[in-house]
Amino acid sequence: MSVQERKERERAGRERLIVATARELAEQQGWDAVTTRRLAERIEYSQPVLYSHFRGKREIIGAVALEGAAEMAAELRGATAVADGPRARVAALARAYLDFAEGNPAVYDAMFRLDGGLAFAREDTPEPLKDAFAALLESLGEVTGDGVHPGLFTEVFWAALHGLATLTRAGRLPPEDAGRRVELLVDRLAVV
């Protein structure tokens, strides 16, 4: 292995450590607790080393969001792959999405609530975000109904899931009706 390859591997390892530590800290104490000073202390590198990887907290949030998008896409695909039929796939997709949001609140915030400097719904949207949307579209595209653009339907369904995730997390919706909400969403929006 060349010196250059070793340095690139070490750099990539430091970057993964920074992102993992930021994510862990955010899940434990919230994003307000994630500062470059605290990250530097936790990973035992100087703040200038952090800044050599990320220009600041915004870019770290973006990196966590991209990682989270890839994880969410995998979970959505995993859940829908074992479901039998379009309705079951959409219900599995909805449950997997809501489970991901509940189980990864800081990552979910990085993806959809905080400014990570990432472009959505544009040409320059990063691939992990495009892939997460594609994971939604793969199951939802088959239940859009006549004359409805699959991408537009996916956006509306996604918005409904995001609303459910956000309102449930904020304690605005009673948790005991979570399953019935998913069933209602699938029954009323999906044409199966």
Side-chain angles (χ1 to χ4, degrees):
M1 172 183 308
S2 73
V3 173
Q4 182 63 27
E5 290 172 329
R6 182 182 53 76
K7 286 182 179 184
E8 287 174 12
R9 192 179 74 225
E10 289 171 356
R11 179 173 177 74
R14 278 192 309 270
E15 202 162 288
R16 283 191 302 275
L17 178 61
I18 293 165
V19 171
T21 304
R23 182 175 174 165
E24 179 184 312
L25 188 56
E27 291 292 0
Q28 291 171 352
Q29 299 177 31
W31 278 104
D32 287 342
V34 178
T35 64
T36 54
R37 176 177 288 177
R38 186 171 278 162
L39 285 174
E41 288 171 2
R42 284 220 174 174
I43 65 171
E44 298 178 348
Y45 283 105
S46 67
Q47 283 182 283
V49 170
L50 262 71
Y51 285 117
S52 75
H53 290 276
F54 299 99
R55 286 184 288 216
K57 183 175 176 177
R58 181 179 187 220
E59 283 189 4
I60 294 169
I61 290 169
V64 170
L66 293 176
E67 188 176 271
E71 290 171 11
M72 185 176 77
E75 288 187 25
L76 296 178
R77 286 187 175 108
T80 59
V82 297
D84 187 28
R87 186 190 187 289
R89 277 190 289 281
V90 173
L93 175 95
R95 284 190 296 275
Y97 183 97
L98 294 171
D99 288 347
F100 180 87
E102 180 182 1
N104 303 280
V107 173
Y108 192 82
D109 284 349
M111 292 168 64
F112 301 121
R113 191 179 68 79
L114 302 174
D115 178 11
L118 304 173
F120 282 81
R122 295 189 338 215
E123 286 293 319
D124 59 339
T125 298
E127 282 306 314
L129 298 179
K130 288 180 182 179
D131 189 51
F133 186 79
L136 293 166
L137 181 62
E138 289 161 11
S139 292
L140 295 172
E142 63 183 326
V143 297
T144 59
D146 293 336
V148 178
H149 186 278
L152 185 61
F153 179 78
T154 300
E155 290 170 354
V156 171
F157 201 93
W158 172 27
L161 289 173
H162 177 70
L164 288 174
T166 303
L167 291 169
T168 299
R169 182 168 157 203
R172 305 292 196 269
L173 300 174
E176 63 271 11
D177 292 328
R180 290 179 42 209
R181 283 187 202 93
V182 168
E183 293 301 315
L184 183 62
L185 181 63
V186 172
D187 289 342
R188 299 296 183 198
L189 285 182
V191 178
V192 184

